[in-house]
Amino acid sequence: MSENIDTREAQWRVELRGAMSPKERTAIPRAKMPMLAPQDRIHSNEEVNCGLTAEMAHTEASRCLDCPDPQCVTGCPVGIDIPGFIKNIQRGNVVEADAVLRRTSALPAVCGRVCPQERQCESRCIYNKMKKEPVAIGWLERYAADSARVDANRPKPEVAEPLHIRVAVIGSGPAGLSFAGDMARRGFSVTVYEALHQVGGVLKYGIPEFRLPNTVVDAELDTLRAMGVEFHTDVVVGKTLSYDDLVAEGYKGIFVASGAGLPRFMGIPGENLINILSSNEYLTRVNLMHGGTDGYATPVPRGARVAVIGGGNTAMDSVRTALRMGAEKAFLVYRRSEAEMPARLEEVAHAKEEGVEFMTLANPVEYLGDERGHVRAMRVQRMELGEPDASGRRSPVPIEGAIDEIPVDVVIVSVGVQPNPLIPNTFKGLDISRRGTIEVNDDLRSSLVNLYAGGDIVRGGATVILAMGDGRHAAATMAAALQ
């Protein structure tokens, strides 16, 4: 920002602070997100959260105390100027609020919907120290991005003068898109290669429409295209394009953001029975390939009794999708207690509202099949919590002899993912960890001097916003090296 804009911003903040006393602001209750009724949403793929109205957003923005040392910013992996965009909402300037967001985030409309704000920015809000609900930062981020998208006064994205330096991105998930946006903003020529037939990576194949509509993702992609980012689909780097091909085509830097799309299974008896599949496959069939939708031939398993194994956001997405696919009973099987579930609290609440049954402190040990080779039941070991493990969570311990047999038609396994091995196995000279992840230094640079990596291919599994943080960091370090 220029000095004049900085000065004007400071003046506006002083004016807003004087308009309402801190006592008045802290007395305002946190906004309540309007949402579809549970009995309606389980029969459709419409987005559950409907978004704040302008009046609700203005009131919620007024709660922000504009702290001199805003810890909410330190809790954001991409370092968004949170007070800055919120105060623009309070002024009624959603276009400027969106512009503030996009200085550090390539996907604000996405992050406002799927980021775990309660564990990041909102967990640092000063309201927590007052024993009050924090400012609804995520909902305000969504409001600003959605409102600006349809505002005729929204300016075109700003980019620097072209540097005529080409960089390639492998993968179009959150890490790749964040990297692409930051590099394009700096004036680099950016080309993104996606193996699937649609751009968006996990945002498209892994997150259902009722949580993140594809129209929202597509709008964010259009913004990147307007910045000059090029996208190529159906390109499997490591097969259709090699590392040497990319170098020969003139790319001076390569960022690998190929994710962790290889599902993990538990290795228990009966796991190869028909109608037992990973959450990756299940969600990809439904979200990306329109399985179960009229006019599409993609097969997808359906059943009256669907069990999902796991307790993360992907497990929640899978079990809620199963309800929408017609399951009479959908239940979640998780080996720890509900308090240890890594899924977002909002997603847990939505699942319960929709009728999902939670079977906690339970772990499958065997699947039983019928004469046709289809799963018909699972044997579940009851658990209790023992001592904390390395993560600080209490480890589940089997209760001797406590095994139940539960009838099921479909089982969806969501117990984690591991990196896609294609690039690690085909890029010669790349240092790989024992977990199959690409090893990088603090700059996210790999053992190949022009190749950087971030997101799940480095972390082995992370949130959207952490992957985006990697994309930003890699863009900054690569840009400095190339310039």
Side-chain angles (χ1 to χ4, degrees), residues 254-272:
I254 301 169
F255 181 62
V256 179
S258 51
L262 192 63
R264 293 183 187 275
F265 284 90
M266 299 175 66
I268 61 178
E271 211 164 32
N272 289 326

Side-chain angles (χ1 to χ4, degrees), residues 147-357:
S147 300
R149 184 169 66 245
V150 297
D151 194 307
N153 296 318
R154 182 188 181 192
K156 292 183 178 180
E158 292 185 8
V159 295
E161 289 296 316
L163 296 171
H164 305 294
I165 300 175
R166 301 183 72 198
V167 295
V169 185
I170 303 171
S172 66
L177 297 178
S178 179
F179 174 89
D182 273 24
M183 292 299 273
R185 191 175 292 109
R186 289 179 165 92
F188 289 84
S189 301
V190 184
T191 303
V192 179
Y193 292 103
E194 168 56 49
L196 297 175
H197 63 285
Q198 286 190 31
V199 180
V202 69
L203 303 177
K204 280 287 186 72
Y205 73 75
I207 305 179
E209 290 258 348
F210 58 77
R211 196 154 72 91
L212 177 63
N214 284 341
T215 53
V216 172
V217 180
D218 290 337
E220 300 286 45
L221 294 173
D222 287 342
T223 299
L224 292 173
R225 290 188 179 97
M227 297 168 67
V229 177
E230 293 184 7
F231 294 96
H232 295 284
T233 57
D234 300 308
V235 180
V236 184
V237 177
K239 282 189 177 291
T240 54
L241 273 182
S242 69
Y243 170 77
D244 291 338
D245 291 334
L246 294 173
V247 173
E249 289 189 18
Y251 292 111
K252 302 302 181 184
I254 301 169
F255 181 62
V256 179
S258 51
L262 192 63
R264 293 183 187 275
F265 284 90
M266 299 175 66
I268 61 178
E271 211 164 32
N272 289 326
L273 289 167
I274 297 170
N275 286 347
I276 298 178
L277 69 166
S278 71
S279 55
N280 291 48
E281 180 181 355
Y282 183 68
L283 291 174
T284 299
R285 286 172 179 259
V286 176
N287 298 337
L288 191 67
M289 303 172 71
H290 307 285
T293 303
D294 290 342
Y296 292 88
T298 305
V300 59
R302 297 173 183 261
R305 295 175 59 86
V306 179
V308 175
I309 317 303
N313 287 325
T314 304
M316 294 298 164
D317 289 341
S318 299
V319 75
R320 296 174 66 197
T321 296
L323 281 175
R324 287 159 174 79
M325 296 296 289
E328 297 174 10
K329 181 175 181 178
F331 53 101
L332 202 76
V333 183
Y334 183 56
R335 64 190 185 126
R336 287 185 165 96
S337 72
E338 186 177 322
E340 279 81 36
M341 279 187 176
R344 292 192 65 192
L345 297 179
E346 181 180 73
E347 301 309 313
V348 173
H350 285 176
K352 287 183 175 181
E353 291 167 359
E354 293 168 6
V356 171
E357 295 187 24

Side-chain angles (χ1 to χ4, degrees), residues 444-461:
L444 298 185
R445 176 182 276 180
S446 74
S447 53
L448 298 175
V449 67
N450 64 340
L451 188 146
Y452 295 64
D456 288 356
I457 191 65
V458 169
R459 295 176 178 270

